[in-house]
Amino acid sequence: MIDIDQHTITQAVLAAQRKSPSPRLAQVMAGLVRHLHAFAREVELTEEEWFEGIRFLTRAGQLTDDKRQEFILLSDVLGLSTLVTAQNNAKPPGCTEATVFGPFFVDGAPRVEAGADIANGAKGMPCDVSGQVRGIDGSRIAGAVIDVWQSDEDGLYDLQHAGGSKIQARAQLVSDADGRYRFRSILASCYAIPHDGPVGDLLRGLGRHPWRPAHLHFKIEARGYERLITHVFRDEDPYLESDAVFGVRSSLLAKWVKHPATATEVEHHSLAFDFVLNPVGASAKP
Ligand SMILES: [Fe+2]
């Protein structure tokens, strides 16, 4: 292949990668190349803009480590995370909807007993969280493994704090024989996604804000059921309509109830939220 020009380059690349031993890799890369080339043609990409893109991705890579994931942030703000989540997690009505995973999950959070305080010193007003894990047929799901993680009053996850080695406001629980779970943590606050890197520069360039409405993250796994990765959002949050990562689902809004201080209890909030899981193999196709 010589004398390739702007009109023949796409077919040349597609032909070059057609012999991949992986049919799926060949399919994915063929689609990527077609759309990438179509994008460059549509916007008449200049060489300066091409290099700006290279610089952007280089900065994102240099900033990414085991505590900062600039590429997930980029996927989130471009709506790719919500698109991929939605097209892979269609569920029958009545099941808890999935939403984006986000960049702040950490594997291996400590497993705690029911009722434990998972804040571990994180800043914020105390908040009791409880609920039940059920199947779509109403059956109680015992032994569901529930990971929960959230930001603190300052809008930061534990791993974002300087040093970042103390595990706070994240834990793993197991539902009891009745499918129930409960723990104490802190009140979720709205927060800005990290915006001191290339993704932040992009948001500013596009006139977008970096804020997310207050939420708790949950990952729930139970034998015989599809894994659920989702959030529970605080209703009345000012950023529900403009979540920087497009993750809000109306079915995931919940009311945090405020409880004034009494003789025996400090001022705190409570949240009750049940999760409904879909049996494996029962997914609804969109
Ligand atoms: Fe979050």
Side-chain angles (χ1 to χ4, degrees), residues 129-150:
V129 184
S130 63
Q132 189 179 42
V133 185
R134 297 190 298 272
I136 186 90
D137 61 356
S139 55
R140 305 153 185 177
I141 302 177
V145 177
I146 303 166
D147 275 280
V148 57
W149 64 105
Q150 68 165 109

Side-chain angles (χ1 to χ4, degrees), residues 106-135:
V106 175
D107 235 339
R111 184 169 286 197
V112 299
E113 296 298 316
D117 185 346
I118 70 166
N120 195 24
K123 277 173 68 181
M125 186 181 291
C127 181
D128 292 323
V129 184
S130 63
Q132 189 179 42
V133 185
R134 297 190 298 272

Side-chain angles (χ1 to χ4, degrees), residues 5-22:
D5 62 20
Q6 62 173 311
H7 304 293
T8 57
I9 180 61
T10 304
Q11 283 308 315
V13 178
L14 293 176
Q17 60 190 31
R18 207 162 279 146
K19 290 180 183 167
S20 166
S22 165

